[in-house]
Amino acid sequence: MQWFNEPQDWQAEANELSLFVTGKTDYWRETHYGFTVDDGPFYYQNRGGEFSVEVSIQGDYQTRYDQMGLMLRLDETNWIKFGVEFVDEKINISAVVTRNKSDWSILPLDHRPEQIWLKAVRVVDAVEMFYSLDGQDYQMVCLAHFPDKRPVMVGMMAASPDGEGFSAEFKDFSITHLPDQRRTQWLVDNP
């Protein structure tokens, strides 16, 4: 694992990462707001092929747009961030898909869960994004195009665009290579 925009205060042990998210940071490209930002903490590894990436997250969200979750990144103009974003005093499941310009979608939750589980699956030229409130039953949130046949940076990201930062914890981060059988079944189900 390595850092893109390393925060000042962080600790990684076994399969856990805790950090104080750097304030006034974000990932965004142009759409609606007219600016580009690419400076949130991102702890990642390079991974090729098809895989599933999972993590559970807990954040002490303080300010509008405080966020944390998973990120898959080819470069500054092609990336996906998926996880939680704190908007209107609510926890929202959030997905931002960027191909030169960012697209954003949110799904507000009706309560403030202590922990949320995230999973993203990269298959062929797509990424499927799922969340769970119990670590067992997952709901699909988004299916997005993502260029295939290129290694990606994949890992955990966080940002605090309007705030001075917040405490974030990631647990049980794992990446699992998808065997050819999973890929073959996906192609059958998605001609």
Side-chain angles (χ1 to χ4, degrees):
M1 302 291 289
Q2 56 191 307
W3 280 106
F4 181 77
N5 304 319
E6 181 177 352
Q8 190 170 21
D9 182 11
W10 66 277
Q11 183 175 12
E13 287 183 9
N15 223 11
E16 297 183 12
L17 170 67
S18 60
L19 66 134
F20 189 80
V21 179
T22 309
K24 308 293 189 237
T25 57
D26 199 3
Y27 287 96
W28 189 259
R29 288 194 64 84
E30 298 184 32
T31 305
H32 187 68
Y33 305 108
F35 59 76
T36 295
V37 191
D38 199 45
D39 60 2
F42 176 37
Y43 195 52
Y44 73 94
Q45 62 180 259
N46 292 304
R47 185 59 68 115
E50 296 169 330
F51 56 81
S52 173
V53 56
E54 299 182 42
V55 73
S56 69
I57 61 172
Q58 290 178 280
D60 183 22
Y61 313 106
Q62 300 292 317
T63 308
R64 181 179 64 163
Y65 302 136
D66 281 356
Q67 60 194 265
M68 63 186 296
L70 294 170
M71 180 176 242
L72 287 81
R73 179 183 173 100
L74 287 171
D75 54 38
E76 68 277 2
T77 62
N78 293 281
W79 50 264
I80 292 171
K81 65 178 179 178
F82 166 63
V84 163
E85 193 156 352
F86 189 59
V87 182
D88 297 331
E89 298 296 315
K90 289 188 176 187
I91 300 297
N92 297 268
I93 303 301
S94 172
V96 174
V97 178
T98 299
R99 289 182 301 276
N100 296 317
K101 295 181 186 281
S102 295
D103 293 333
W104 181 37
S105 60
I106 59 172
L107 172 67
L109 299 181
D110 59 4
H111 67 291
R112 191 173 180 150
E114 184 176 321
Q115 187 172 10
I116 294 177
W117 288 259
L118 305 171
K119 177 169 39 176
V121 182
R122 182 187 191 198
V123 179
V124 191
D125 65 347
V127 172
E128 302 165 307
M129 291 163 257
F130 304 85
Y131 81 97
S132 173
L133 299 179
D134 62 9
Q136 295 180 14
D137 296 320
Y138 282 83
Q139 297 282 330
M140 185 170 162
V141 175
C142 186
L143 170 68
H145 170 76
F146 201 66
D148 61 348
K149 300 185 176 106
R150 291 176 57 190
V152 297
M153 301 159 69
V154 58
M156 299 160 277
M157 64 72 55
S160 183
D162 286 356
E164 298 303 321
F166 66 98
S167 296
E169 292 184 10
F170 298 85
K171 295 180 181 176
D172 301 321
F173 177 78
S174 67
I175 301 175
T176 305
H177 173 73
L178 295 180
D180 290 341
Q181 178 182 1
R182 167 72 164 102
R183 181 180 190 277
T184 301
Q185 185 59 49
W186 191 90
L187 289 169
V188 168
D189 294 341
N190 301 279

